[in-house]
């Protein structure tokens, strides 16, 4: 087992409430270095909220979020954020900036020089198979798949220790989605970084993850690989969740 020194994230008793409702409810979660973890569960179960807590965009009402041995606080969150690459749901590109401007915004803010920026962008375009000629396009002039590649490049620009992605393929049509799943798997392998990714698609989770973390009503119900969820479900919800996804054609003859 990974010792404390090698963990990327350690969440202990983390809760976040909105009004009377617990979006995230007493979550304990340890994510080791170089692990690829996928958070999954039905809409509204707290996946995005959990990711935002890990990135420090919102603060827990109770519990602790430790990133690389440091508790995330309002004092250190800005510095810690530079070691995390985060892709929000729907990509979050600035529409009035070109792909290149979107990708390099933070590096320019940190006064990287032009040669360093150019070299990094070329590395990332190669990694994500993004054509250099398209870097001068605005988000509206790109396909959905290209926008996702740009969002990924932006998140990776500062060479973060961890990459967090919130349903990066959610809005794409099935053909493009399948291509990007393939590409993402190769990119994750080449990077060798810790990845925390949200999806609601079990086949996608099984294809990409070392560890699947299944959430229900703000709580972690079970974590492990797909076969452990199928063979030893923690409760009826796990079985229902898996069976509900077996009907979708992508799973037939596939992972399930
Ligand atoms: N900023 C917010 N204000 C009020 N309620 C919120 C807010 N963010 C999330 N919630 C609620 O918390 C629950 C979990 O939301 P979310 O984390 O977005 O779920 P998921 O990403 O799994 O679909 C939902 O009931 C949602 O309505
Ligand atoms: Mg969400």
């Amino acid at each position: 087992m990974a010792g404390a020194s090698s963990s990327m994230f350690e969440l202990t008793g983390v809760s976040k409430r909105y009004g009377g409702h617990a979006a995230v409810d007493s979550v304990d979660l340890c994510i080791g270095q170089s692990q690829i973890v996928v958070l999954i569960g039905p809409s509204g179960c707290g996946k995005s909220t959990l990711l935002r807590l890990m990135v420090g965009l919102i603060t827990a009402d109770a519990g602790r979020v430790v990133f690389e041995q440091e508790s995330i606080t309002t004092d250190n969150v800005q510095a810690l954020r530079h070691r995390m690459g985060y892709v929000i749901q729907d990509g979050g590109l600035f529409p009035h900036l070109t792909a290149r401007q979107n990708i390099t915004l933070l590096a320019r803010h940190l006064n990287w020089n032009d040669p360093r920026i150019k070299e990094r962008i070329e590395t990332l375009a190669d990694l994500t198979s993004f054509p250099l000629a398209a870097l001068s396009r605005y988000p509206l002039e790109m396909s959905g798949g290209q926008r996702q590649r740009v969002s990924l490049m932006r998140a990776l620009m500062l060479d973060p220790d961890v990459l967090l992605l919130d349903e990066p393929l959610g809005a794409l049509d099935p053909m493009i989605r399948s291509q990007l799943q393939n590409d993402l798997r190769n990119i994750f392998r080449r990077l060798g970084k810790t990845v925390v990714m949200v999806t609601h698609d079990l086949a996608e989770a099984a294809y990409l993850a070392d560890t699947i973390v299944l959430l229900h009503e703000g709580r972690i119900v079970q974590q492990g690989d797909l076969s452990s969820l199928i063979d030893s479900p923690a409760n009826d919800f796990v079985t229902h969740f898996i069976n509900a996804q077996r009907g979708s054609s992508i799973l037939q003859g596939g992972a399930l």
Side-chain angles (χ1 to χ4, degrees):
M1 289 300 293
S5 61
S6 65
S7 71
M8 185 62 62
F9 279 103
E10 273 183 61
L11 281 68
T12 316
V14 171
S15 296
K16 180 71 185 176
R17 304 184 74 82
Y18 290 110
H21 176 78
V24 168
D25 192 2
S26 309
V27 161
D28 297 324
L29 178 64
C30 183
I31 295 177
Q33 283 189 19
S34 306
Q35 249 193 307
I36 299 175
V37 174
V38 169
L39 308 177
I40 192 169
S43 182
C45 71
K47 305 180 293 295
S48 294
T49 305
L50 189 54
L51 213 61
R52 283 188 208 115
L53 287 161
M54 293 169 78
V55 176
L57 275 180
I58 52 176
T59 311
D61 300 324
R64 248 171 28 124
V65 180
V66 174
F67 171 66
E68 293 186 317
Q69 326 313 319
E70 278 185 78
S71 253
I72 302 179
T73 66
T74 46
D75 292 333
N76 65 14
V77 67
Q78 288 307 329
L80 295 184
R81 279 291 298 283
H82 291 166
R83 310 209 302 258
M84 307 179 193
Y86 174 50
V87 180
I88 66 168
Q89 211 163 340
D90 303 321
L93 295 178
F94 293 110
H96 61 289
L97 299 181
T98 63
R100 181 184 276 102
Q101 289 167 336
N102 265 287
I103 296 164
T104 59
L105 199 60
L106 194 51
R108 291 201 185 283
H109 177 70
L110 296 173
N111 293 320
W112 284 29
N113 61 34
D114 287 344
R116 186 177 178 199
I117 287 178
K118 183 167 180 287
E119 189 187 336
R120 184 67 186 150
I121 256 204
E122 283 168 5
T123 302
L124 292 173
D126 175 62
L127 179 76
T128 60
S129 309
F130 189 86
L132 289 172
L135 285 168
S136 54
R137 289 194 197 151
Y138 290 90
L140 276 173
E141 300 168 340
M142 294 184 265
S143 68
Q146 284 181 331
R147 278 199 287 275
Q148 284 311 116
R149 290 174 205 274
V150 172
S151 300
L152 188 59
M153 283 190 269
R154 184 173 66 173
L156 289 170
M157 184 69 195
L158 300 188
D159 198 14
D161 296 342
V162 61
L163 181 61
L164 304 104
L165 310 116
D166 196 346
E167 306 223 27
L169 311 180
L172 301 173
D173 72 61
M175 288 285 288
I176 304 288
R177 184 169 179 138
S178 157
Q179 170 70 50
L180 261 165
Q181 282 170 349
N182 211 338
D183 288 359
L184 267 188
R185 185 150 106 153
N186 292 330
I187 290 168
F188 293 169
R189 284 190 181 155
R190 269 175 72 184
L191 286 171
K193 290 184 193 290
T194 311
V195 175
V196 188
M197 182 177 134
V198 168
T199 182
H200 58 265
D201 182 322
L202 191 56
E204 185 168 294
Y207 183 63
L208 293 171
D210 301 325
T211 304
I212 297 173
V213 176
L214 177 56
L215 293 156
H216 180 45
E217 294 176 347
R219 290 173 174 265
I220 294 178
V221 183
Q222 189 166 358
Q223 51 180 305
D225 61 9
L226 180 61
S227 56
S228 71
L229 268 60
I230 293 173
D231 296 341
S232 338
N235 60 25
D236 286 349
F237 168 78
V238 178
T239 308
H240 286 147
F241 184 80
I242 291 169
N243 287 340
Q245 299 223 4
R246 278 185 202 258
S248 86
S249 61
I250 199 171
L251 301 182
Q252 271 152 27
L256 292 182

